[in-house]
Amino acid sequence: MCINRKRLRTEQLRSPAPTSQQLHAADEQLKRVKTDSPTSLDHETITDNQELDKEEAATAAHRDEMVAAILTITSALGLSRETLHLCIGLLDRYLQLQNVTVFKLEALSISCLWIAVKFVETPTTIFDKSIKEILQRRRHSSNWTWNEILDFELNILQLLNFRIMAPTILELLQKRMFAKDDSENQEHDIDGLQFEQHQLALYFADLLLLKARANQFPKKLLVDAIWFVIAGNKIADVKPPLLEPVVQLYLAHRDNINPSHAVFKPWFALRCRYGAFLPAPWKVPYDPSCVCRVCEHVQDELAS
């Protein structure tokens, strides 16, 4: 008779328990292994966003975000206001004629900046400040190549019929500020601009660049709105057609001084550039001890 004997549990074969050293070694090996699944949530989100950017048309909000970046770049490099305003003018004129995807908007903006730099700045400035090299280095953190910038440059010039110059807010404002004939200034109750008023006018001119909505008004009307405000007039006294652009100035300034607003951080260069000079009630949050490149160039500009 065959008897099937069942082994006791204690007698069953089993692998020896791993030692603490083995567990530690296995844990370290897992830490070194990087698993990047193409189906992971993060991977899908990044890929989807990139694909959407390649097809999504740039909106006014995208344009405003890019203008804030250009303002920061030009301020940090110590480029002239004329370069900034010409660059944004080229960008807006191009966008009026041609739709651009979000994916290509930065390349378009850098191309406009490069055209403006070569048109306004001197060769010495371009060389001494290594502007081309600095712009080229941005491609490492962006989605374009320098050849694409050059292709865009030709495309911009052809679309605009090689007409680089066009009236800007800054140009019309400076003509009024430095007019030899003071009759127009007296008409607006300004006998002569004080330094703070001068800075306030330039601040408003740059501030309006950051709002695509300002493009719906003629440039001369925007300058009239700036002149109305720096003359010390109250918003309660404004009448059409100045009403809308003056309100636009007030709203843009309100956003610039609100730390909780989405534009507060991207617009920091504007506050660094003018914060030390703006008169009440137009003062902005400003740190006098700031040593960023924007503040350094402001001090150099005052010393020159």
Side-chain angles (χ1 to χ4, degrees):
M1 182 175 65
C2 180
I3 300 176
N4 185 12
R5 297 179 180 272
K6 188 176 182 179
R7 293 185 180 181
L8 298 176
R9 290 181 181 272
T10 56
E11 296 178 356
Q12 290 179 357
L13 295 176
R14 59 184 178 183
S15 58
T19 64
S20 59
Q21 292 180 346
Q22 290 174 326
L23 289 173
H24 180 72
D27 185 53
E28 289 298 318
Q29 184 176 4
L30 287 174
K31 289 181 180 179
R32 289 194 296 268
V33 176
K34 183 178 180 181
T35 58
D36 188 10
S37 172
T39 59
S40 65
L41 181 60
D42 292 340
H43 183 89
E44 286 184 344
T45 302
I46 294 173
T47 303
D48 290 345
N49 287 340
Q50 290 177 345
E51 292 300 324
L52 286 174
D53 287 348
K54 289 181 180 180
E55 299 180 1
E56 181 184 1
T59 64
H62 294 122
R63 176 264 182 204
D64 290 351
E65 182 180 351
M66 193 55 60
V67 170
I70 294 297
L71 172 64
T72 301
I73 293 172
T74 55
S75 300
L77 290 175
L79 301 179
S80 66
R81 292 182 178 88
E82 288 77 10
T83 298
L84 169 65
H85 282 256
L86 177 57
C87 168
I88 306 307
L90 290 169
L91 176 63
D92 286 335
R93 289 164 60 198
Y94 186 94
L95 292 176
Q96 287 177 354
L97 300 173
Q98 182 71 48
N99 291 329
V100 177
T101 63
V102 177
F103 190 74
K104 292 292 185 180
L105 183 59
E106 182 177 349
L108 170 63
S109 302
I110 295 297
S111 297
C112 291
L113 178 57
W114 182 230
I115 293 173
V117 164
K118 291 188 291 184
F119 195 83
V120 176
E121 306 292 340
T122 65
T124 302
T125 299
I126 296 174
F127 177 79
D128 290 345
K129 296 186 176 183
S130 304
I131 296 174
K132 181 178 180 180
E133 290 74 16
I134 291 174
L135 293 179
Q136 286 178 327
R137 284 201 295 268
R138 287 185 61 86
R139 74 184 187 275
H140 297 304
S141 59
S142 304
N143 54 14
W144 47 264
T145 65
W146 190 249
N147 285 335
E148 289 178 314
I149 298 300
L150 299 181
D151 290 341
F152 244 133
E153 180 181 359
L154 179 59
N155 185 249
I156 293 167
L157 295 175
Q158 290 176 338
L159 188 64
L160 300 181
N161 294 322
F162 292 87
R163 295 178 180 175
I164 297 177
M165 295 297 295
T168 64
I169 300 175
L170 180 66
E171 177 188 358
L172 298 178
L173 183 63
Q174 287 178 331
K175 284 182 178 179
R176 182 170 296 184
M177 288 193 297
F178 301 111
K180 295 181 180 179
D181 183 6
D182 292 335
S183 59
E184 189 172 6
N185 291 350
Q186 293 173 0
E187 179 183 347
H188 291 82
D189 299 325
I190 294 182
D191 296 329
L193 285 182
Q194 301 296 324
F195 176 77
E196 288 185 342
Q197 287 178 307
H198 184 274
Q199 292 296 314
L200 182 61
L202 295 175
Y203 164 73
F204 283 145
D206 288 356
L207 187 63
L208 288 173
L209 287 181
L210 296 166
K211 291 291 187 179
R213 188 178 300 178
N215 289 330
Q216 65 182 303
F217 305 110
K219 298 290 191 297
K220 184 179 182 303
L221 185 61
L222 293 174
V223 172
D224 289 341
I226 293 174
W227 217 251
F228 178 88
V229 175
I230 67 174
N233 296 300
K234 304 298 182 182
I235 192 171
D237 301 327
V238 66
K239 298 178 181 179
L242 287 180
L243 178 59
E244 288 189 62
V246 168
V247 170
Q248 182 80 14
L249 276 177
Y250 273 82
L251 293 178
H253 176 73
R254 181 199 63 182
D255 295 343
N256 190 35
I257 63 176
N258 181 8
S260 300
H261 200 282
V263 302
F264 185 81
K265 185 176 180 180
W267 289 9
F268 83 93
L270 193 64
R271 295 188 296 276
C272 284
R273 191 165 193 172
Y274 296 103
F277 316 113
L278 297 180
W282 300 101
K283 291 186 177 297
V284 297
Y286 169 71
D287 182 7
S289 62
C290 180
V291 291
C292 71
R293 289 189 176 183
V294 178
C295 292
E296 288 181 1
H297 288 301
V298 169
Q299 296 302 322
D300 293 340
E301 183 179 343
L302 290 176
S304 61

